[in-house]
């Protein structure tokens, strides 16, 4: 088994291709669809890089996996699926919880399914999955979202946004149904109980201090040096820290554009009557509405 990483600078996202060089079976984890919020333009630079790699090495794409419904980039899964029709999409089974939450936030059509049927496979915690000669185990790691999962391929764990490099820490937990308590349990009881030599591949790297890109650590390194959750840190202390930290963070710049696409398995909205596609951007979606609904945000009287 080999692993190839692709980094998207615009969203600091890591996409991974896991492949068997002998059988040429491959799995892609967390592909990115490029989106410019200023012009509202879609492009395929990131997906093209992955596609070129797959074709150059004559790989058979078996699965396109999402670690969760991302809030910082649009998924490129549907573009990859069109290019490689034998591939299926997969995500943790609790995506249904996230779909139900955001169906209301975005006022999606009454017939928008919240049973996960948009994905080809809903993956259960503890499930052992085979994709050609590749095998992996699904490990539920909720906290960042209730539907987050990590994927364990042999000695390599792909954690999505549950945790980052040791000098970055852990994922935020302030999205709807996120939970710092759940994240603490996911990391300490699910990830830190794996063998110390287990390699951890993170979903993002924000290169703190301008250091070079890094995306691979080990369980031992995380337990010893993770700046937010070393193995020695207690649950109450972490929850207090994470809650205060999250309260100081601004929302991801592509939060609303990303989530409404990603809960629909990466599918862009259907064209309207004028044959153009539109994304919905709710106002004050997670804040109490002002008493005077006509008030302008930030207005003083």
């Amino acid at each position: 088994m080999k692993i190839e990483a692709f980094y998207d600078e615009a969203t600091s996202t890591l996409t991974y291709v896991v492949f068997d060089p002998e059988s040429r079976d491959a799995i892609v984890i967390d592909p990115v669809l490029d989106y410019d919020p200023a012009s509202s333009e879609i492009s395929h630079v990131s997906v093209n890089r992955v596609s070129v790699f797959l074709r150059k090495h004559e790989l058979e794409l078996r699965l396109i996996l999402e670690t969760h419904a991302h809030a910082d980039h649009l998924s490129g899964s549907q573009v990859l699926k069109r290019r490689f029709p034998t591939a299926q999409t997969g995500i943790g089974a609790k995506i249904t919880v996230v779909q139900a939450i955001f169906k209301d936030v975005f006022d999606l059509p009454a017939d928008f399914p919240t049973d996960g049927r948009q994905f080809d496979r809903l993956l259960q915690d503890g499930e052992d999955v085979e994709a050609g000669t590749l095998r992996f185990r699904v490990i539920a790691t909720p906290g960042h979202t209730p539907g987050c999962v990590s994927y364990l391929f042999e000695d390599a764990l792909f954690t999505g946004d549950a945790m980052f490099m040791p000098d970055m820490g852990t994922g935020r937990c302030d999205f709807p149904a996120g939970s710092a308590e759940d994240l603490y349990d996911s990391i300490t009881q699910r990830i830190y109980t794996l063998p110390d030599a287990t390699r951890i591949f993170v979903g993002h790297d924000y290169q703190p201090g301008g250091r070079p890109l890094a995306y691979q650590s080990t369980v031992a390194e995380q337990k010893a040096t993770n700046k937010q959750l070393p193995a020695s840190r207690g649950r109450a202390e972490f929850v207090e820290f994470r809650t205060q930290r999250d309260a100081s963070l601004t929302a991801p710049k592509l939060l609303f554009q990303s989530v409404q696409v990603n809960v629909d398995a990466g599918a862009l909205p259907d064209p309207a009557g004028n044959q153009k596609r539109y994304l919905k951007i709710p106002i004050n979606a997670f804040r109490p509405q002002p008493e005077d609904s006509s008030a302008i945000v930030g207005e003083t009287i």
Side-chain angles (χ1 to χ4, degrees), residues 90-268:
I91 198 168
K94 288 193 176 179
I95 183 62
T96 56
V97 177
V98 181
Q99 288 177 326
I101 292 169
F102 283 98
K103 179 175 183 176
D104 178 64
V105 169
F106 292 112
D107 191 29
L108 297 176
D111 61 354
F112 178 84
T114 59
D115 58 3
R117 72 181 70 171
Q118 299 94 327
F119 298 86
D120 297 311
R121 299 186 66 168
L122 296 183
L123 305 171
Q124 301 292 335
D125 180 31
E127 182 177 354
D128 290 317
V129 181
E130 294 186 3
T133 59
L134 295 170
R135 293 171 174 78
F136 64 92
R137 174 163 291 185
V138 181
I139 300 175
T141 47
H144 175 63
T145 79
C148 288
V149 295
S150 298
Y151 299 112
L152 180 63
F153 291 75
E154 298 177 4
D155 71 333
L157 182 72
F158 298 85
T159 61
D161 291 11
M163 65 190 319
F164 303 129
M165 294 299 292
D167 61 354
M168 274 297 302
T170 69
R172 63 195 294 172
C173 299
D174 57 333
F175 299 135
S179 167
E181 292 87 352
D182 287 349
L183 184 62
Y184 180 88
D185 294 342
S186 292
I187 292 175
T188 60
Q189 298 177 21
R190 309 305 301 276
I191 296 177
Y192 285 176
T193 56
L194 294 171
D196 281 351
T198 302
R199 295 177 292 164
I200 290 177
F201 292 84
V202 300
H204 294 280
D205 186 49
Y206 301 100
Q207 299 174 272
R211 66 150 168 74
L213 175 67
Y215 50 82
Q216 180 181 339
S217 62
T218 66
V219 168
E221 291 169 350
Q222 294 282 5
K223 287 162 63 175
T225 64
N226 186 287
K227 66 180 295 184
Q228 294 177 359
L229 187 48
S232 60
R233 195 165 201 180
R235 192 172 192 261
E237 182 184 0
F238 172 77
V239 170
E240 180 181 9
F241 161 80
R242 188 70 263 176
T243 302
Q244 293 178 353
R245 169 70 174 161
D246 290 346
S248 72
L249 299 175
T250 58
K253 66 179 181 180
L254 295 183
L255 169 62
F256 295 116
Q257 296 95 325
S258 296
V259 173
Q260 64 191 283
V261 169
N262 295 339
V263 296
D264 202 16
L268 296 174

